[in-house]
Amino acid sequence: MTEQDTGSAVDLGRQAGADVKVLMVPNGYGSLNRSLDWPTGSYTFLPYHPFVSRSPAAAHFLAAMHQFAPQVTPATSNMAVIGWLAADMFIRGLREAGPCPTRASFIQGLRHVEDYNADGLLVNRIDFSRNRGVSDLCFSFVQYDGAAKGWHAVSGADPFCGTRLTTPAS
């Protein structure tokens, strides 16, 4: 579902009388589409600390985006963050690979990293030695405020970590 579809679906539901109490959307925070009017009270989750938290890692990211990619607006877009994280992981893998990196040494080196967190930008540290192919358990949550036309961090939910469910033994 696109960002536009999400907002439209909620608006149509409310117009039809649906009493939407909680809306958890997978998109919206840092959207490049400035014309969207998100439903007030919408929540979304992030694997990184929200920029409104003003963490040192967020400040570093924003300063670097302003200096090296001023054409990306807003700098807080999910695509910018994903690109930053991909580049940061790539650089970390190159460092771990040693002085003459190969594909094999890059992969092997990155698989020895047990505490990757993009210098504090990610909510949870990633252990590449064990957690390949599993979803994260910790997220930040933000909520949309229609009056302010912006997102704010949800108090008490940064980070919020779940527990991995396992299939019960039969």
Side-chain angles (χ1 to χ4, degrees):
M1 183 178 280
T2 67
E3 294 174 345
Q4 189 70 46
D5 292 342
T6 301
S8 296
V10 172
D11 287 342
L12 288 172
R14 286 181 172 159
Q15 289 171 17
D19 186 18
V20 179
K21 299 286 187 199
V22 175
L23 176 65
M24 179 70 75
V25 294
N27 49 21
Y29 184 78
S31 175
L32 293 173
N33 188 343
R34 300 301 231 175
S35 66
L36 287 178
D37 187 20
W38 285 97
T40 295
S42 300
Y43 291 89
T44 194
F45 52 95
L46 310 166
Y48 53 89
H49 293 283
F51 295 102
V52 294
S53 72
R54 305 197 195 295
S55 73
H60 174 72
F61 170 84
L62 292 172
M65 289 297 291
H66 179 74
Q67 181 179 356
F68 299 111
Q71 72 280 10
V72 177
T73 56
T76 57
S77 74
N78 282 326
M79 295 310 294
V81 176
I82 290 166
W84 174 274
L85 292 172
D88 191 65
M89 278 187 260
F90 183 72
I91 292 167
R92 178 72 182 262
L94 287 175
R95 285 187 185 134
E96 299 295 328
C100 188
T102 64
R103 182 179 188 274
S105 67
F106 173 87
I107 293 169
Q108 185 68 19
L110 203 51
R111 286 188 178 163
H112 283 96
V113 174
E114 298 176 351
D115 63 347
Y116 178 78
N117 72 347
D119 294 325
L121 191 58
L122 292 177
V123 172
N124 197 24
R125 293 183 179 277
I126 299 172
D127 181 349
F128 289 122
S129 70
R130 299 180 319 151
N131 293 339
R132 295 183 309 275
V134 296
S135 59
D136 204 347
L137 295 175
C138 298
F139 296 93
S140 290
F141 286 82
V142 291
Q143 185 177 28
Y144 187 74
D145 179 351
K149 297 273 187 212
W151 298 85
H152 63 84
V154 176
S155 178
D158 186 28
F160 186 80
C161 299
T163 304
R164 193 165 314 284
L165 299 175
T166 58
T167 306
S170 49

